[in-house]
Amino acid sequence: MDIKQLNYFMAVAQAGSFSKAAENLTVSQPTLSVAVKKLEEELGVRLFYSFNREQRLTDEGLRLMNGARRLMDVYQQTVEDVRVMDHNTEGSFMLGLSPLFGACFFGDLLPGFAAAYPNIHIEIVEDGANRIDEKVARGEVDLGVSLNTDRLTAAVEKRHFTTQRNVALLHESHPLAERDSITVADLRNESFAIFNHNFILHRQIVEACHAAGFRPRFALLTSQWDFMVELVSKNHAVSILPKPVLEKQSHPHVKCIPLTDSMKYWDIVLTWNKEKYMPRSCRLFLDYISRNLPPDDL
């Protein structure tokens, strides 16, 4: 017994005639008759009897009609649940997010989405952007937040999220602290406190130093930006961080100087593996973010 058989059976019961039911369903009468006959054979009961040129339900037919109405209600609701994307949508997906991006941009986005879609659960996988890229490429997360680089694989789709400025962090007494702007080359004689190898920003800083003609010396490699700020505040190192980080972790003895070379901007993208199925819950989140992007700082 399937949905089509039940639909045919209910049409005959409601019309009281095979010919009228066939006309309502836009099928031939023999097709309808055969379908109902097969249903009776499958169930081993008689569903209709003829009286005054009408098809009337037997006791077994009445019981099937009552059950069929409930089944069709459930079926229609299931179809609607699949088609309609509303605030009652349920589901879950995995979001790859570094603590840095989370602290800077998702403090309002995640609660806002949860309020709009309370039945969707987001499982956050926290790691550096390098590893998030790897997880996206392997299909281990549904959506990632990363830096825009030429190392993203062909299987990875990306969408702009925000562009922010990078700044050099210097102690207030540093000779460069009063400059309006500096370049990475100006920092060639400094010791750096920067993110460790799990972060794309680490690679970008090192490559920028090499492009400027020097190999950087490291006072600290860490995943904690507050640790970097602390070293700079004690005049033990310099650092390069995105400007939004300093809005979360400012220090009175640390000056933030804009960079003007290849490290000028921090271009953040949303990434996903286009060869992997994206759950509807994740698509809703992607659409929500696209409507609530943080402003670019250009």
Side-chain angles (χ1 to χ4, degrees), residues 141-158:
V141 297
D142 298 298
L143 186 69
V145 185
S146 184
L147 289 179
N148 189 18
T149 71
D150 57 4
R151 301 195 183 195
L152 293 174
T153 68
V156 174
E157 192 75 49
K158 62 185 178 182

Side-chain angles (χ1 to χ4, degrees), residues 100-101 129-130 133 146-152 164-166 184-185 192 194-212 214 216 218 240-242 259 261-269:
L100 180 64
F101 295 142
N130 266 334
D133 284 350
S146 184
L147 289 179
N148 189 18
T149 71
D150 57 4
R151 301 195 183 195
L152 293 174
Q164 301 292 324
R165 291 182 179 273
N166 285 317
V184 172
F192 286 81
I194 62 173
F195 283 113
N196 62 36
H197 297 82
N198 293 334
F199 293 78
I200 292 177
L201 193 56
H202 170 94
R203 185 176 72 236
Q204 291 182 329
I205 293 172
V206 171
E207 289 176 350
C209 292
H210 289 169
F214 70 96
F218 299 120
I240 295 176
L241 283 172
L259 291 160
D261 53 8
S262 62
M263 289 301 301
K264 182 176 181 179
Y265 291 120
W266 198 45
D267 189 17
I268 308 169
V269 291

Side-chain angles (χ1 to χ4, degrees), residues 41-86:
E41 292 174 353
E42 181 180 342
L43 297 175
V45 296
R46 185 180 176 188
L47 299 174
F48 294 100
Y49 68 93
S50 298
F51 184 76
N52 289 338
R53 296 185 177 181
E54 289 187 0
Q55 295 296 319
R56 300 190 177 185
L57 291 169
T58 63
D59 290 341
E60 293 81 5
L62 283 169
R63 287 197 296 273
L64 180 60
M65 189 65 176
N66 291 333
R69 287 196 180 105
R70 294 193 296 271
L71 283 172
M72 293 304 290
D73 286 344
V74 172
Y75 172 77
Q76 291 298 332
Q77 184 60 55
T78 301
V79 170
E80 288 301 312
D81 287 346
V82 170
R83 289 177 175 170
V84 178
M85 293 190 291
D86 58 20

